[in-house]
Amino acid sequence: MKKLKVYSCCGHDTVVKRVYCPSCGANEISEREVEDKGSIYSFTKIHVPPSEFAHLAPYYVALVQLDGTSAKVTARMTEDIAIGDQVELDKVEDGAYLYKSV
């Protein structure tokens, strides 16, 4: 099972490592690993993508609420999805998180 790193401060969780907390400005940010599973929080289906992604269309760009944290991650998916669907990380490709339905 893959793990993702989550960075936390003052109740604000993110998957992006920062020098300062975006909520309170503190520089004491904790780091922990979380499971790569979550649920679909929001999504949109891309029919006409930028030219560098034309070979992928149609595809979904989804916001995944990670289990056990308030952090969300932007993911790309190719299968049909709905709000609340359970998903897990399949792989990271060229810096993009590719998720699949569980």
Side-chain angles (χ1 to χ4, degrees):
M1 182 158 305
K2 299 170 189 76
K3 299 276 189 173
L4 295 175
K5 289 188 180 179
V6 170
Y7 305 93
S8 304
C9 183
C10 70
H12 180 81
D13 296 335
T14 180
V15 294
V16 178
K17 188 173 186 175
R18 305 216 170 146
V19 176
Y20 296 98
C21 175
S23 293
C24 71
N27 64 352
E28 296 178 19
I29 298 174
S30 65
E31 177 182 307
R32 65 188 168 104
E33 288 187 341
V34 297
E35 299 297 326
D36 62 352
K37 295 182 179 183
S39 59
I40 300 295
Y41 181 83
S42 179
F43 69 90
T44 189
K45 189 172 187 179
I46 307 296
H47 292 277
V48 183
S51 60
E52 63 267 26
F53 300 111
H55 65 286
L56 300 172
Y59 62 91
Y60 292 90
V61 173
L63 194 57
V64 176
Q65 172 70 59
L66 297 173
D67 291 346
T69 179
S70 64
K72 296 173 183 71
V73 65
T74 303
R76 188 173 74 220
M77 299 184 69
T78 56
E79 57 198 300
D80 288 338
I81 54 176
I83 302 292
D85 283 357
Q86 296 299 304
V87 295
E88 68 182 355
L89 183 63
D90 184 28
K91 60 185 170 181
V92 178
E93 184 177 275
D94 296 327
Y97 294 101
L98 304 179
Y99 270 73
K100 63 180 180 180
S101 294
V102 177

